[in-house]
Amino acid sequence: EAQVTQNPRYLITVTGKKLTVTCSQNMNHEYMSWYRQDPGLGLRQIYYSMNVEVTDKGDVPEGYKVSRKEKRNFPLILESPSPNQTSLYFCASSEPPSGGVFYYNEQFFGPGTRLTVL
Amino acid sequence: EDQVTQSPEALRLQEGESSSLNCSYTVSGLRGLFWYRQDPGKGPEFLFTLYSAGEEKEKERLKATLTKKESFLHITAPKPEDSATYLCAVGSSNTGKLIFGQGTTLQVKP
């Protein structure tokens, strides 16, 4: 079954304690992305990756790190979490934007990770 | 500035009562308009992609249309299982980013 998996699904932690949220996809997609979803603000992109070892900032990258050492995995790292990073996080993957003109393709989303930072 | 606005924020319908959800956008160079469905506690699920004005796509009771300024998601004779939050997203060539609207939460009562 084609899917994007995230772990953990729920996490409660304390300010400053480093954490990693894993994301893995089995569709051989080149493009992967992390979003956070907050009430009233919708989905906002944190980081994205066009391929292995290629990552770039989204709209809200401060306080986050990512790495893309393998095509299927795209972990999100919070080195020193703060309460304002309490949110619902989604990982997504897709075929890369295509064509000579930059067109997006449909994204497949993971089930989400609900993070609470105390 | 690129912007995506969805309306209404919430919509309550009786089963069988057709209606439309709106997604208005302002982007410099449209690179795809997407509709997703999101159920509580789950990730968004892809519904449609539209790339050019005049394009229409259908799936069961849903039909998406696109103009140069907005997209509509028409729901014909909805059922309670259509209750969800519907998200619109637009790809922008200006920023190279995918911008999401805040969503419309649809509730269909039997």
Side-chain angles (χ1 to χ4, degrees):
Chain A
E1 179 190 356
Q3 60 182 354
V4 177
T5 57
Q6 295 179 227
N7 282 293
R9 295 289 315 280
Y10 302 90
L11 180 59
I12 300 174
T13 189
V14 295
T15 299
K17 186 176 181 181
K18 181 179 179 180
L19 66 93
T20 299
V21 183
T22 64
C23 172
S24 182
Q25 51 94 4
N26 63 0
M27 294 166 279
N28 203 35
H29 286 160
E30 292 184 2
Y31 183 89
M32 296 186 74
S33 183
W34 275 103
Y35 296 87
R36 60 178 290 172
Q37 188 174 38
D38 302 289
L41 296 176
L43 274 165
R44 294 179 293 167
Q45 191 178 52
I46 303 170
Y47 269 94
Y48 65 94
S49 170
M50 297 289 277
N51 212 329
V52 176
E53 302 292 0
V54 181
T55 63
D56 205 350
K57 297 177 180 179
D59 295 316
V60 287
E62 293 77 22
Y64 304 95
K65 284 178 59 176
V66 293
S67 68
R68 187 91 181 275
K69 299 187 187 305
E70 303 169 281
K71 196 172 185 179
R72 64 181 293 131
N73 297 322
F74 191 43
L76 179 69
I77 303 158
L78 284 71
E79 299 240 334
S80 184
S82 62
N84 64 11
Q85 292 178 298
T86 292
S87 186
L88 181 57
Y89 292 86
F90 290 102
C91 179
S93 74
S94 76
E95 292 299 328
S98 56
V101 179
F102 191 80
Y103 281 94
Y104 276 95
N105 292 308
E106 63 176 279
Q107 294 192 67
F108 295 82
F109 283 81
T113 295
R114 186 166 292 280
L115 172 65
T116 302
V117 183
L118 302 175
Chain B
E1 180 185 349
D2 294 336
Q3 198 167 5
V4 179
T5 304
Q6 290 187 246
S7 61
E9 288 187 17
L11 182 61
R12 289 184 180 181
L13 299 173
Q14 288 296 127
E15 184 172 3
E17 181 186 1
S18 301
S19 187
S20 297
L21 281 55
N22 177 264
C23 172
S24 297
Y25 64 91
T26 305
V27 292
S28 300
L30 178 68
R31 295 295 178 255
L33 185 141
F34 301 83
W35 282 99
Y36 288 86
R37 169 189 170 128
Q38 186 174 21
D39 293 301
K42 295 189 176 181
E45 178 184 343
F46 171 76
L47 291 173
F48 302 109
T49 307
L50 302 166
Y51 285 111
S52 56
E55 192 174 355
E56 299 183 353
K57 289 193 177 173
E58 286 188 70
K59 180 180 179 180
E60 297 181 355
R61 295 177 293 281
L62 301 176
K63 179 180 178 180
T65 62
L66 180 64
T67 72
K68 289 187 177 180
K69 295 184 178 180
E70 58 192 349
S71 175
F72 290 95
L73 184 65
H74 306 278
I75 303 176
T76 303
K79 298 182 177 181
E81 54 262 42
D82 294 322
S83 298
T85 296
Y86 291 86
L87 303 173
C88 170
V90 173
S92 166
S93 67
N94 182 39
T95 62
K97 302 275 175 67
L98 192 62
I99 306 159
F100 279 82
Q102 294 186 16
T104 294
T105 299
L106 172 66
Q107 184 180 27
V108 182
K109 294 194 171 185

